[in-house]
Amino acid sequence: MPDENRPVTGLRDWLRRLADTDRLSVARPGVPLTYRLAAIAKRLDGRRATVFPSPDGHPIPVISGLVSSRGWIAEAMGVTESDVLQRFEDAAASPLPWREVTDAPVQAEVHRDVDLTRQLPVPTHNEHDSGPYITAGLLIARNPRTGVQNVSINRCQISGPDRIGVLILPRHAHAFYQMAEEAGDALEVAVVVGVDPMTLLASQAIVPIDHDELEIAGALRGEPLETVKCVTNDVRVPADAEIVIEGRLLPQVREPEGPFGEFPQYYGPRDDRHVIEVDALTHRREPLFHTIVGGGLEHLWLGAIPREATLLAHLRRSFPGVVDVHLPVGGVCRYHLVVQLDKRQEGEAKNVIMGAFAGHYDIKQVVVVDGDVDIHDPDEVQWAIATRFQADRDLVVVPEAQGSKLDPSARHGVSAKMGLDATVPLAAEPFEFTRIRIPDEDTIDPESYVDADGLDWLRGRLDG
Ligand code: MN
């Protein structure tokens, strides 16, 4: 039996656990890679992981929906849901260096003659996507000056047999690329597909540049991650991964990429973007290809947990009364933040709102509630706004701030911010905000009061 209190350290261990607990479905062989595979995975997302043998007859199976709920992520981490954010933040604060090996399962088979269109089963997900995309690929790059690695997930369009169009937002991989490009060099990279849940989660950590996300993966796993050097460059990749694509981000080259269905449930537009030229493809014997359905729950939750952890730590530095934070699915796990505050000073909620806006530019709406509101229940948050918020007193609006470029209502990433203080005034009358409650309503078992013969009695009574 797997130990529930230890993190899951292998992708295949996690799939085994899902299969053993009725949380994984295997499709019949031959599901089409264009649209149909993503449609099935999306419909089961959050309830069941999916495995697709022989998709379009391809020998490599596709898997999806591995970490599509908060509960599953907690289970994979080996903690309760309430400890997820603290555990993640602890790992980010105390990373564990990886251990390099020379003999790795992911290099069991090496192809230097690469044709991604034939060798990998890459699905096309949403209706207007430009074509097949690798969506669960960890892009690993090295700082050309320091050698410190960075990990991020970037959407990868299959542009040709050995060509990938990639969206690289102006963060760490982009900074490394600029250093290389200024020197006239290509940037060596690897795109890693099929890793354990902790490495997947760690890739989304919001940490400063030159903080290697693979070391956070090690801390989350509770043991150093084993890595191996790529066969054609110096990038180190998880030794136990399913598939690695080795290549170079070309300097001074931009080619059309997109559109692609993104987390806000809209398409990221087509534009000239960075290009990876592929040098080698390595994989395990009988590998698995992981795909994340763009805009699906797996996509949303993978972004949410690391962001929540970072935002909670950020707010607590200034506001020790902040108890918990949540990025709800309705706010695309990025734009709307709910903060639970143990308020000590009148006006504190508005300071928390301003602190949250500064925590991440994606944050567009902040709702601050008291400790009696379940921030993971959207109805509870709505109730707090309905009964504890007045727009003339409790609303903060910041016009024309930096927001998300993927929010279609923003103008080129310029967005208004809105904060709602839905906390009870400290000076409220004792009975004013007392929530109604029936004694024992939460603890009694109503079924134990049901009379087995009661329906006969009722029918007799109604007929009489
Ligand atoms: Mn980074």
Side-chain angles (χ1 to χ4, degrees):
M1 273 301 283
D3 185 343
E4 305 293 327
N5 298 316
R6 284 184 54 78
V8 174
T9 54
L11 168 59
R12 290 171 180 226
D13 293 337
W14 180 239
L15 289 173
R16 216 171 280 122
R17 184 188 294 195
L18 294 176
D20 289 347
T21 50
D22 198 25
R23 291 179 289 175
L24 185 150
S25 292
V26 180
R28 61 168 186 261
V31 168
L33 283 164
T34 302
Y35 307 138
R36 186 54 50 90
L37 184 151
I40 297 163
K42 187 174 182 179
R43 287 289 293 273
L44 293 172
D45 196 20
R47 291 181 290 132
R48 287 161 167 274
T50 38
V51 178
F52 298 91
S54 312
D56 267 341
H58 200 285
I60 299 179
V62 174
I63 57 175
S64 191
L66 311 181
V67 284
S68 301
S69 84
R70 189 181 195 83
W72 288 21
I73 290 174
E75 181 183 340
M77 289 173 85
V79 299
T80 61
E81 283 192 46
S82 56
D83 288 337
V84 163
L85 301 189
Q86 192 59 52
R87 180 80 192 88
F88 191 88
E89 197 51 31
D90 289 347
S94 310
L96 199 57
W98 32 263
R99 197 167 67 79
E100 192 166 339
V101 298
T102 50
D103 190 24
V106 73
Q107 293 177 344
E109 292 185 34
V110 176
H111 304 271
R112 288 170 194 269
D113 196 9
V114 180
D115 182 351
L116 299 175
T117 64
R118 286 190 308 103
Q119 287 160 330
L120 292 181
V122 187
T124 299
H125 301 91
N126 285 295
E127 183 183 17
H128 297 298
D129 286 0
S130 62
Y133 266 83
I134 299 168
T135 56
L138 274 56
L139 183 96
I140 307 186
R142 284 159 61 86
N143 183 324
R145 291 175 197 152
T146 65
V148 176
Q149 297 206 143
N150 188 74
V151 188
S152 54
I153 297 181
N154 303 65
R155 66 191 206 211
C156 291
Q157 170 188 275
I158 304 299
S159 302
D162 62 351
R163 237 170 156 75
I164 290 171
V166 59
L167 172 68
I168 302 183
L169 294 171
R171 293 193 290 252
H172 304 152
H174 191 263
F176 295 175
Y177 172 78
Q178 280 184 316
M179 292 177 203
E181 191 177 45
E182 277 165 24
D185 297 332
L187 182 72
E188 295 179 340
V189 295
V191 176
V192 183
V193 182
V195 295
D196 67 275
M198 291 308 97
T199 305
L200 202 54
L201 201 62
S203 75
Q204 299 305 292
I206 298 169
V207 287
I209 195 163
D210 285 343
H211 286 230
D212 180 350
E213 287 83 359
L214 290 185
E215 297 191 349
I216 298 173
L220 282 174
R221 293 158 54 96
E223 62 187 38
L225 186 72
E226 292 194 342
T227 64
V228 66
K229 190 179 104 51
C230 284
V231 296
T232 61
N233 65 41
D234 284 333
V235 175
R236 268 58 168 193
V237 294
D240 209 27
E242 297 289 326
I243 296 164
V244 171
I245 300 161
E246 303 182 5
R248 288 156 291 119
L249 269 165
L250 302 175
Q252 311 298 341
V253 176
R254 304 289 187 276
E255 291 174 2
E257 184 273 332
F260 176 74
E262 278 285 1
F263 68 83
Q265 316 299 319
Y266 297 100
Y267 292 91
R270 188 171 185 79
D271 208 342
D272 285 340
R273 300 213 170 87
H274 298 84
V275 175
I276 298 171
E277 198 167 73
V278 179
D279 296 315
L281 171 69
T282 78
H283 59 78
R284 294 172 69 119
R285 283 187 218 295
E286 305 194 334
L288 301 166
F289 182 91
H290 180 201
T291 201
I292 294 172
V293 178
L297 286 171
E298 187 172 27
H299 191 181
L300 292 171
W301 279 111
L302 265 175
I305 300 290
R307 279 166 190 249
E308 287 177 354
T310 308
L311 287 161
L312 180 60
H314 160 78
L315 286 174
R316 275 184 175 161
R317 275 193 281 276
S318 305
F319 310 102
V322 168
V323 180
D324 200 3
V325 300
H326 180 46
L327 292 162
V329 169
V332 299
C333 289
R334 307 286 196 282
Y335 296 166
H336 290 186
L337 179 74
V338 186
V339 181
Q340 193 178 51
L341 174 69
D342 177 13
K343 186 168 74 171
R344 288 124 195 237
Q345 290 287 322
E346 210 47 79
E348 190 182 8
K350 284 186 181 166
N351 296 47
V352 169
I353 286 165
M354 293 185 283
F357 292 155
H360 197 292
Y361 61 76
D362 273 351
I363 304 280
K364 181 182 185 186
Q365 175 185 299
V366 179
V367 179
V368 183
V369 298
D370 295 299
D372 65 330
V373 177
D374 177 359
I375 61 173
H376 295 100
D377 179 348
D379 285 345
E380 283 264 308
V381 176
Q382 203 65 31
W383 169 80
I385 295 170
T387 62
R388 298 177 175 182
F389 166 82
Q390 284 294 315
D392 57 342
R393 294 195 301 263
D394 303 321
L395 179 67
V396 178
V397 175
V398 180
E400 308 279 337
Q402 184 190 359
S404 165
K405 286 192 173 162
L406 286 171
D407 171 4
S409 70
R411 278 194 317 272
H412 306 295
V414 176
S415 171
K417 310 284 179 186
M418 175 164 79
L420 292 79
D421 173 1
T423 59
V424 171
L426 291 174
E429 296 295 324
F431 225 61
E432 243 180 328
F433 287 94
T434 301
R435 203 164 167 169
I436 61 165
R437 178 180 166 272
I438 302 168
D440 299 331
E441 69 172 307
D442 295 329
T443 51
I444 58 149
D445 173 17
E447 294 302 327
S448 71
Y449 287 84
V450 171
D451 180 355
D453 304 322
L455 282 175
D456 289 337
W457 167 83
L458 176 68
R459 288 195 185 95
R461 185 73 181 247
L462 294 175
D463 292 342

